[in-house]
Amino acid sequence: MNGLRSLMQPQSVAVIGASKTPGKIGYAVIENIRTSGYAGEVYPINPKEEEISGYKAYPSILAVGKPIDVAVFCVPAAVSLQVADECGRAGVKHLIVITAGFKEIGPEGRELENKLVQTARQYGMRITGPNNLGIMDTHTPINATFAKNFPIKGNVAFISQSGALCVAILDWSLKRGLGFSQFVSVGNKADLNEADFIEAAAEDPNTKVVCLYLEDVVNGDRFIEAARKATQKVPVIVLKAGNTAAGAKAASSHTGALAGSNTAYDAAMRHAGVIRAATMTELFDLAIAFTTQPIPKGRRTVVVTNSGGPGIVASDAVETNGLIMAHLTDASTEQLRAKLPPTANIHNPIDVVGDAHADRYQIALDTALNDPQVDAAVVLLSPTAVLDIKEAAEITANAGQAHPDKPIVASFMGGEAVEVGVKYLNDHGIPTYPFPEPAIATLRGMLKYRELRDAVAGSSEWTFADVRKDAVKAIFDKVRADGRSLLLGPEAAEVAELYKIPAAPSKLAKSAEEAVAHAEAIGYPVVMKIASPDIMHKTDVGGVKVGLTSKDEVAEAFDSIMAASKKAVPTAKIYGVEVQKMMPKGDELIIGMTKDPTFGPMVAFGSGGILVNLIQDASFRLAKGLSEREVEEMITETKAYTVLKGFRGAQPDDIPALREAIGRVAQLCRDFPEISELDINPVFAYAKGVSALDVKIKLQ
Ligand code: COA
């Protein structure tokens, strides 16, 4: 366990500020450690006491004189630095700083927190917190928190950025019968953060699923690295709160306006193989299912019900979740026909009908789960007076035992009447829900984990060796030396070409003669555009002329563009006029990049042209680690894909060329972190090849 073994399974724990006074945190922590059955050494530290909670107390941690793995801080922030220094001198490995009054209270607290980290670093100690509830490991066992409850021993690790949520979930879990392996309140994450605890939980033999409540991620790269590794072993589910589009508002590029910080979290989680839960309910629905049921091998789902309506609701949910209503084999159908009454529906959803006794559930479940064309089962029950609900629950749980390779989820609908069955199912590891939809959504979530995990396992970054990094660097240096952050059109087109991103040939002309010479070299027809970083909407000021086909037209265009632009924006710095080859019309797309403060460059692809912000058809992935398969997904998940495939008999576009262009844009953004914005809008896609028409690159 990444060095956190001594935190989660310590040999010895000191509680600094342990107290004899009930109601104080120092009292709660030491009592929790004692009552959790912790078998290691416990050292209460309190200058005024000889003994606390039955343990010998010491006036200072320096007085203990024995190795100490963990020191839990229950003393005020004002003494925390001094206490941390003493811990360092005493050779303590981990500090759990429950104390509040750090970063969360403002600049003063932030400074104190920084000093605390410095002190810890000086002695090689790690910090959990500050401003947290503490940690628990039910298998050690240890409860080094001030929570009211200690969870049932189980296999779910829960890592939370909210201490209050921890205590609420703990209380709920006892009622629900959900067991935990580890419980970690990360607090301010001054040192150890979610990535460290994900790693630790994934390596913990008692953990089968890792759940997180996060408000932010400290270090995007570290998180992805840790999560990608962890998800190969166990499912990782994240509920990310505080999703805003504030980041999107701040962005000036098309790509930036299409994205938001939420998009970056989505892209990051997917890239890491992490399931993102939308609600707390979904988070724990999945956690329960992952610890009790096998992961479905495929989408083919069977529904067993004793009433028609819920069967239809469930069939709808199967479809809307992207699962498939299993098509039973003829043998199964025959078996059901032979054993069920003629009123039953022997096709999926299998309806054993309202007068069913529990034995019909047995017949239906046995047949369905033995069917090779079934991957998972949903058991629905409406309470009737003729049905023994407990017996139906037993049959369902037994079917689960008999088919450990296929997941079963249940919805015994109702309240009091089904309670006995619901309890039995919960106690016997069959996830059960008040209504069919969440049952089916859970199956979908489990399958999604399998898909994400396999995708991560088979993916590596798509890189190109034939790019001209030095030449691009020289262009960027030149732009910066000129005091600009925005590249001129011809410079941006050259950068694209150096990375083999096909761009329409483009040259800068400083005079009408030069413009003619460029046009002759490029070949007619050409487009001419004013080259000035100060003029954003070139067309509006008369700074664009298209379809020029002769020397005379080009010379005339040069003069008129210069005159119009100078008149419209007299203060603009004008570099000349860009002469660009006029490309034939293709399908209009956009390839872009926007920067996320946590996860770095994100590549975008979607429908392009002037309506890009209106259509909002874009897919996003992290540039770092972007694989060829991910690029393929980016394309196929947009509406633009319908057009690319050849809409209404049109010839399909060159998708491989498009894919490569996206891959190369990602590499450009990875190679040059100084690119703050990149937009290629439009990119024309043709039956053969693609062409970047308007490349906009902005440096930091
Ligand atoms: N070494 C050892 N013990 C010390 C000490 C030192 N250097 N300095 C003080 N103590 C003792 C005190 O004498 C006291 O013991 P006592 O009860 O026997 O008198 C004990 O440590 C606690 O100190 P006290 O000054 O009484 O603090 P407190 O208990 O009122 O508050 C905290 C301490 C840590 C609980 C408080 O500062 C705090 O941060 N509360 C918020 C915690 C929180 O919400 N965290 C986030 C949760 S999600």
Side-chain angles (χ1 to χ4, degrees):
M1 206 191 282
N2 66 350
L4 297 196
R5 185 184 293 275
S6 51
L7 173 66
M8 304 309 295
Q9 293 153 31
Q11 303 282 322
S12 50
V13 180
V15 179
I16 305 179
S19 175
K20 278 191 146 166
T21 312
K24 294 189 77 165
I25 287 189
Y27 173 84
V29 170
I30 194 108
E31 273 297 296
N32 274 345
I33 291 175
R34 184 181 69 78
T35 54
S36 64
Y38 176 63
E41 298 296 326
V42 180
Y43 309 115
I45 312 294
N46 186 313
K48 297 181 296 195
E49 305 291 346
E50 306 258 298
E51 168 279 327
I52 299 175
S53 291
Y55 303 105
K56 176 180 165 23
Y58 297 81
S60 147
I61 196 147
L62 290 164
V64 175
K66 288 185 211 144
I68 299 167
D69 283 340
V70 173
V72 189
F73 281 33
C74 306
V75 286
V79 298
S80 60
L81 290 184
Q82 183 212 324
V83 168
D85 189 72
E86 287 171 5
C87 286
R89 287 192 276 144
V92 172
K93 294 182 187 146
H94 284 277
L95 309 181
I96 298 176
V97 184
I98 288 176
T99 313
F102 291 88
K103 185 174 80 181
E104 77 283 0
I105 62 161
E108 213 177 297
R110 182 179 292 274
E111 200 185 320
L112 186 63
E113 187 166 311
N114 290 342
K115 284 190 182 148
L116 186 70
V117 173
Q118 273 167 24
T119 307
R121 294 247 158 92
Q122 193 187 328
Y123 293 105
M125 298 183 289
R126 304 304 309 260
I127 299 173
T128 304
N131 185 31
N132 75 340
L133 186 76
I135 60 116
M136 303 177 186
D137 187 309
T138 58
H139 297 263
T140 301
I142 184 167
N143 178 3
T145 73
F146 66 92
K148 199 169 171 60
N149 304 307
F150 192 49
I152 306 166
K153 204 188 251 192
N155 308 107
V156 180
F158 184 59
I159 300 162
S160 175
Q161 201 167 338
S162 156
L165 207 60
C166 282
V167 284
I169 283 164
L170 266 175
D171 199 39
W172 164 81
S173 74
L174 294 174
K175 202 165 167 213
R176 171 62 182 76
L178 174 64
F180 288 90
S181 50
Q182 302 182 342
F183 225 89
V184 178
S185 163
V186 294
N188 291 4
K189 306 191 274 194
D191 175 30
L192 292 175
N193 63 43
E194 54 280 337
D196 301 295
F197 290 109
I198 288 174
E199 265 171 7
E203 286 171 27
D204 171 28
N206 300 310
T207 294
K208 283 191 188 165
V209 54
V210 184
C211 295
L212 294 100
Y213 165 81
L214 290 180
E215 286 159 16
D216 66 355
V217 161
V218 174
N219 177 330
D221 291 349
R222 256 288 279 142
F223 173 84
I224 288 186
E225 186 201 330
R228 273 177 79 90
K229 239 162 120 187
T231 51
Q232 289 303 302
K233 288 187 182 169
V234 290
V236 177
I237 315 165
V238 169
L239 180 84
K240 161 73 177 66
N243 307 312
T244 74
K249 277 205 193 109
S252 60
S253 71
H254 284 303
T255 310
L258 292 172
S261 66
N262 203 22
T263 318
Y265 272 94
D266 264 346
M269 299 297 171
R270 185 204 299 238
H271 183 67
V274 169
I275 300 176
R276 196 170 168 186
T279 60
M280 294 299 293
T281 312
E282 193 187 335
L283 182 80
F284 285 104
D285 279 353
L286 282 168
I288 289 167
F290 277 122
T291 49
T292 54
Q293 293 297 309
I295 297 163
K297 293 203 170 69
R299 290 167 192 265
R300 301 167 304 178
T301 307
V302 74
V303 176
V304 177
T305 178
N306 65 342
S307 52
I312 299 168
V313 169
S315 305
D316 280 345
V318 164
E319 195 125 333
T320 49
N321 277 283
L323 301 175
I324 298 166
M325 285 297 279
H327 189 80
L328 300 179
T329 59
D330 291 346
S332 297
T333 314
E334 279 321 306
Q335 198 169 323
L336 292 174
R337 196 192 307 280
K339 293 184 177 170
L340 292 178
T343 46
N345 181 20
I346 52 170
H347 302 285
N348 192 12
I350 303 170
D351 187 352
V352 295
V353 289
D355 63 351
H357 295 180
D359 62 326
R360 288 195 205 153
Y361 273 94
Q362 174 104 50
I363 295 163
L365 273 172
D366 277 349
T367 310
L369 289 167
N370 278 322
D371 191 314
Q373 297 186 169
V374 169
D375 296 314
V378 182
V379 182
L380 307 180
L381 179 147
S382 304
T384 63
V386 294
L387 182 61
D388 182 331
I389 288 160
K390 171 104 182 286
E391 198 187 343
E394 284 166 3
I395 285 168
T396 305
N398 290 343
Q401 296 251 314
H403 298 275
D405 56 329
K406 293 184 183 178
I408 301 179
V409 291
S411 174
F412 279 22
M413 288 168 287
E416 263 175 36
V418 294
E419 211 171 285
V420 57
V422 168
K423 177 157 185 349
Y424 189 91
L425 292 173
N426 281 337
D427 291 348
H428 291 80
I430 302 288
T432 172
Y433 309 82
F435 297 106
E437 296 96 328
I440 290 150
T442 301
L443 283 180
R444 175 67 191 118
M446 295 180 85
L447 190 64
K448 190 168 168 197
Y449 166 63
R450 177 188 287 277
E451 290 166 358
L452 287 171
R453 181 192 64 190
D454 294 351
V456 168
S459 82
S460 58
E461 192 170 83
W462 195 14
T463 54
F464 303 86
D466 56 357
V467 298
R468 307 254 323 270
K469 205 172 162 181
D470 288 349
V472 170
K473 188 175 176 305
I475 295 175
F476 289 171
D477 287 346
K478 201 180 85 193
V479 170
R480 274 189 291 237
D482 191 32
R484 279 183 286 134
S485 60
L486 194 64
L487 273 68
L488 299 175
E491 291 167 338
E494 197 183 341
V495 167
E497 280 296 340
L498 289 166
Y499 265 64
K500 294 211 159 62
I501 300 157
S506 164
K507 295 271 182 215
L508 182 67
K510 293 199 185 306
S511 65
E513 295 74 45
E514 226 184 327
V516 170
H518 288 330
E520 293 281 309
I522 288 171
Y524 296 101
V526 295
V527 177
M528 291 173 65
K529 305 175 202 171
I530 189 71
S532 167
D534 303 323
I535 302 177
M536 290 309 276
H537 301 287
K538 300 180 180 111
T539 311
D540 299 354
V541 302
V544 179
K545 299 266 177 216
V546 301
L548 309 168
T549 54
S550 70
K551 285 182 188 179
D552 289 350
E553 280 179 25
V554 168
E556 203 183 300
F558 183 90
D559 292 338
S560 83
I561 287 174
M562 289 295 272
S565 302
K566 277 180 190 162
K567 191 171 164 219
V569 192
T571 54
K573 184 167 179 190
I574 291 173
Y575 287 76
V577 176
E578 178 184 353
V579 182
Q580 189 187 42
K581 178 142 184 101
M582 182 150 165
M583 304 301 291
K585 187 122 175 71
D587 286 320
E588 280 190 66
L589 305 165
I590 182 171
I591 301 174
M593 184 276 292
T594 179
K595 269 255 171 83
D596 181 77
T598 308
F599 297 104
M602 263 200 308
V603 179
F605 166 74
S607 301
I610 51 169
L611 299 180
V612 52
N613 288 335
L614 182 73
I615 299 172
Q616 295 269 333
D617 172 36
S619 58
F620 292 85
R621 293 293 185 282
L622 302 187
K624 286 182 201 158
L626 185 72
S627 67
E628 195 172 349
R629 181 193 48 77
E630 285 176 293
V631 176
E632 177 77 41
E633 275 173 15
M634 281 182 85
I635 297 175
T636 53
E637 71 192 36
T638 57
K639 292 183 200 122
Y641 182 57
T642 313
V643 177
L644 293 169
K645 281 188 297 185
F647 188 52
R648 295 200 173 165
Q651 239 194 332
D653 287 320
D654 191 344
I655 294 175
L658 181 63
R659 218 165 35 215
E660 197 174 317
I662 298 171
R664 287 173 181 277
V665 165
Q667 181 160 340
L668 178 65
C669 299
R670 285 194 300 266
D671 288 353
F672 294 95
E674 63 261 50
I675 301 179
S676 62
E677 281 173 33
L678 182 151
D679 262 317
I680 312 180
N681 183 24
V683 174
F684 277 168
Y686 308 111
K688 180 109 193 64
V690 296
S691 182
L693 261 71
D694 199 352
V695 185
K696 187 176 142 206
I697 296 175
K698 197 171 173 192
L699 304 177
Q700 233 141 34

